[in-house]
Amino acid sequence: MSGYGRPSAPPGGPPGGYGGAPGYQQPQGGYAAPGGFNAAPGGAALGGYNAAPAGYGGQPSAPGGYGGQPSAPGGYGGPGYTAPPPPQQPMAQPNLNQIFASVDKDRSGMISVNELQSALSNGTWQPFNPETIRLMISMFDKDGNGTINFQEFGALWKYINDWQNTFRYYDRDNSGSIDQNELQTAIASFGFRLSPKFFGVLMRKFDRTGDRTITFDDFIQSCVLIQVNL
């Protein structure tokens, strides 16, 4: 997937560095929390979330100058981009060395497609879409060896964090997935004006559950494909 190129840093982003843990543990019934990294070393969920944090679902207040709507992360340069809203509550700075070590299961100093897939959750019991994994690795794999080293991991971590904030913002009904109306709202806010017929095709392509919604991993892939092809 070298054709996607390497993204610049996502525009803006949560203040204060990486903004805390970008992920949630696999849901244990009830609300399906949006995806991200599964667990920190020792099995504790990153950020301690089993469900949506308090206040999730309402429109987060945008920081001064951001205008209230988050952008798609990645710095692709579509019109009207602003920074994603910051987390509702300030979180502790993550220990990226510790997180990297927990993902790097074979202790090779590199994170492979399989290792990254195992570390990420899409908020369902299905595996994280391997195409999305390969897409993200290709975007941050600066040396072209098909894996992510520690230096590359920091940028990838922030990218996933920014996408999760964006996903959370547009999941207006707190369902843990994005329906067609929510997807249209998100894509329109990124500056793209596309027909309802196009969104119908997009939903059919990325709806892997058959319930006319898309999960966190497929949301990333669908938005990136629109950004780089339109």
Side-chain angles (χ1 to χ4, degrees):
M1 295 202 180
S2 58
Y4 291 106
R6 295 175 188 142
S8 61
Y18 291 103
Y24 295 88
Q25 205 174 28
Q26 287 278 14
Q28 303 295 321
Y31 177 84
F37 282 90
N38 272 323
L46 293 177
Y49 296 136
N50 265 326
Y56 173 38
Q59 292 190 6
S61 57
Y66 285 150
Q69 285 191 331
S71 71
Y76 287 104
Y81 280 0
T82 54
Q88 292 273 327
Q89 308 258 340
M91 291 188 254
Q93 186 84 356
N95 185 328
L96 290 182
N97 283 289
Q98 202 173 18
I99 296 165
F100 182 89
S102 73
V103 178
D104 179 22
K105 298 296 186 184
D106 63 2
R107 301 295 183 261
S108 65
M110 302 286 181
I111 293 175
S112 67
V113 169
N114 290 339
E115 287 172 331
L116 185 58
Q117 184 184 32
S118 297
L120 288 172
S121 166
N122 60 12
T124 75
W125 296 111
Q126 294 183 342
F128 207 90
N129 190 333
E131 293 181 14
T132 307
I133 297 292
R134 287 191 289 268
L135 169 63
M136 293 191 296
I137 285 183
S138 72
M139 293 163 68
F140 290 91
D141 175 21
K142 294 181 179 180
D143 52 16
N145 65 358
T147 61
I148 295 293
N149 61 32
F150 179 74
Q151 287 71 30
E152 296 161 344
F153 180 72
L156 175 61
W157 169 273
K158 185 177 186 302
Y159 183 75
I160 294 172
N161 184 43
D162 287 348
W163 267 119
Q164 191 188 55
N165 287 339
T166 301
F167 181 91
R168 186 185 300 171
Y169 181 86
Y170 289 107
D171 178 19
R172 301 298 172 87
D173 61 1
N174 302 343
S175 65
S177 60
I178 296 287
D179 63 26
Q180 183 167 331
N181 288 334
E182 291 166 338
L183 182 63
Q184 286 181 224
T185 300
I187 297 300
S189 75
F190 302 158
F192 297 98
R193 299 293 179 262
L194 305 171
S195 70
K197 182 177 180 181
F198 177 88
F199 283 106
V201 172
L202 198 66
M203 292 298 297
R204 286 193 294 274
K205 174 177 174 58
F206 288 103
D207 173 16
R208 292 190 290 153
T209 60
D211 61 358
R212 299 182 180 178
T213 63
I214 59 176
T215 50
F216 175 60
D217 46 354
D218 295 317
F219 177 71
I220 294 175
Q221 186 180 164
S222 61
C223 291
V224 170
L225 289 176
I226 289 172
Q227 287 179 302
V228 301
N229 287 295
L230 296 180

